[in-house]
Amino acid sequence: MQSNGKHDLIKRACGFASPFRIERGEEFRLRDIDPGDTLHLGSEDKDRAREALSMGIELLAEFQDKLYAQDRWALLLIFQAMDAAGKDGTIKHVMSGINPQGCQVSSFKAPSPVDLDHDFLWRCMQQLPERGRIGIFNRSYYEDTLVVRVHPELLQQQKIPPELVGKDIWKERFRDIRHYENYLANNGIIVRKFFLHVSKKEQKRRFLERLEKPEKNWKFSANDIRERAFWDDYMEAYEDMIRHTATKEAPWYVVPADNKWFTRVAVAAAIIETLVSLDLHYPKLSKEALEQLDQAKQALLSEG
Ligand code: ATP
Ligand code: MG
């Protein structure tokens, strides 16, 4: 990509990402973000947005190649959302240009008996990305402050000694998560968290589509409807979670998710914004290493 085109794209990316970046949790209110927001873009801009997205994806691939070559930083992208908000599709589209060797997706579903025999961060810790890689968590340890909070019987299953389960348990979990993410940042693992914010109305439309279109039937789960009944509890839990865990070193992006094309642009933009801030470059070789390359070249050229 031409460097002035790149500069322009990066500038535009920052413009799409920054309105949704939350770094100071205490000021955050969920109602300040409209799930239907598309910034200033209307549906007539969709094609241009798609074009920008594909350029963004190209740029991401370039950054990722440098991240890998440099082998210093790792990037952890966490996705949380209500059902049908578009986590899977966003991950699929935004990461479509990335070299699969440099990227790993981990999905966290209901915990297994082995998981429940450990602390709540344990299963996620094992899936952290290596240096040079991008790790994606499709759901994460944040579920332990969301679904587990909305359904207290799940907390019972976690086998925590009862004297440690008090009224401050969620505050304690948030604090532990903040410290943990701070620890990751201190180790060069950059954490960025995405809440794809869909409206209740749009979720209903997507569920109906899953029920009506045979090729989407497989996506439907009766459990999703049961969870929908707890919508307000979930929204409260999400808001409280973001208020307590959005920090400068590990911000949340609360991304409007009623329009899939916009969600994808905003998420790609946020990842670009993050990678730009790392000032990635290919490793510079020492004088000796360059001499060795030259010798190798001469040896190859002098072969019969
Ligand atoms: P998704 O719904 O993310 O697209 P899926 O439909 O393939 O994925 P599900 O079988 O629905 O997978 O698994 C996700 C479910 O696992 C969610 O309902 C989520 O709340 C639940 N889950 C994730 N982490 C936990 C946890 N720590 N404790 C209890 N339930 C959890
Ligand atoms: Mg599901």
Side-chain angles (χ1 to χ4, degrees):
M1 204 178 290
Q2 293 282 309
S3 87
N4 53 349
K6 206 188 295 183
H7 187 74
D8 219 42
L9 193 61
I10 290 171
K11 220 170 112 195
R12 273 159 70 201
C14 295
F16 275 111
S18 58
F20 308 115
R21 188 180 61 238
I22 316 293
E23 295 184 339
R24 291 164 60 88
E26 63 274 20
E27 290 166 9
F28 176 71
R29 287 278 178 265
L30 195 52
R31 63 165 181 269
D32 292 341
I33 307 243
D34 169 10
D37 192 6
T38 53
L39 290 177
H40 46 279
L41 302 179
S43 51
E44 69 283 3
D45 297 310
K46 260 193 207 176
D47 286 341
R48 277 193 17 240
R50 284 209 183 91
E51 224 173 276
L53 179 61
S54 68
M55 279 157 65
I57 287 170
E58 220 180 285
L59 187 59
L60 275 180
E62 206 178 302
F63 282 137
Q64 189 244 353
D65 204 47
K66 289 182 183 160
L67 185 84
Y68 190 82
Q70 212 175 12
D71 201 19
R72 289 290 180 274
W73 301 99
L75 180 62
L76 174 62
L77 305 173
I78 296 180
F79 287 87
Q80 287 292 155
M82 294 298 281
D83 288 301
K87 276 187 286 111
D88 294 13
T90 302
I91 293 169
K92 180 168 121 185
H93 277 84
V94 173
M95 306 315 281
S96 60
I98 300 270
N99 177 353
Q101 294 217 70
C103 170
Q104 177 195 340
V105 184
S106 312
S107 299
F108 297 98
K109 308 197 177 207
S112 71
V114 177
D115 296 332
L116 291 172
D117 250 343
H118 293 84
D119 59 278
F120 79 94
L121 290 174
W122 178 79
R123 63 176 179 159
C124 297
M125 282 190 188
Q126 296 168 80
Q127 304 298 329
L128 286 177
E130 294 170 27
R131 296 192 191 283
R133 312 237 173 166
I134 300 177
I136 295 174
F137 284 2
N138 185 347
R139 302 185 188 271
S140 66
Y141 44 82
Y142 280 106
E143 290 292 332
D144 292 273
T145 71
L146 294 165
V147 68
V148 179
R149 188 173 188 180
V150 171
H151 298 287
E153 65 277 14
L154 294 175
L155 188 59
Q156 300 271 313
Q157 290 171 16
Q158 297 199 337
K159 297 166 64 177
I160 303 166
E163 58 268 43
L164 299 182
V165 183
K167 66 171 182 17
D168 287 334
I169 179 134
W170 309 114
K171 278 214 178 84
E172 286 159 12
R173 286 196 169 185
F174 293 140
R175 191 193 54 209
D176 292 339
I177 288 174
R178 280 197 311 270
H179 288 173
Y180 178 59
E181 291 177 347
N182 192 41
Y183 159 85
L184 294 179
N186 288 339
N187 282 275
I189 300 160
I190 305 295
V191 183
R192 292 293 181 270
K193 306 167 300 202
F194 296 89
F195 170 44
L196 307 190
H197 185 25
V198 75
S199 66
K200 195 174 182 191
K201 187 164 160 233
E202 176 63 15
Q203 190 198 51
K204 178 175 172 182
R205 200 192 63 74
R206 292 184 190 173
F207 280 169
L208 285 172
E209 193 174 61
R210 289 179 178 187
L211 290 166
E212 283 158 7
K213 291 197 178 155
E215 73 279 12
K216 295 207 168 177
N217 283 170
W218 65 274
K219 284 192 186 175
F220 182 77
S221 138
N223 190 48
D224 294 352
I225 297 281
R226 280 195 289 275
E227 289 313 300
R228 180 177 164 80
F230 295 93
W231 187 273
D232 292 345
D233 297 341
Y234 272 108
M235 290 306 111
E236 255 179 58
Y238 267 109
E239 184 176 82
D240 204 40
M241 171 192 87
I242 293 164
R243 285 174 63 86
H244 285 92
T245 58
T247 60
K248 193 155 177 36
E249 63 274 6
W252 276 99
Y253 288 90
V254 180
V255 181
D258 277 6
N259 297 285
K260 288 182 179 173
W261 60 273
F262 184 77
T263 311
R264 289 166 191 172
V265 168
V267 170
I271 305 172
I272 289 173
E273 171 181 82
T274 304
L275 290 172
V276 166
S277 72
L278 298 181
D279 189 24
L280 299 170
H281 49 78
Y282 291 109
K284 287 211 175 64
L285 294 190
S286 64
K287 202 164 151 247
E288 292 75 33
L290 285 172
E291 274 166 20
Q292 272 181 13
L293 291 191
D294 197 47
Q295 280 164 19
K297 184 175 162 191
Q298 296 310 328
L300 281 172
L301 291 174
S302 63
E303 273 181 13

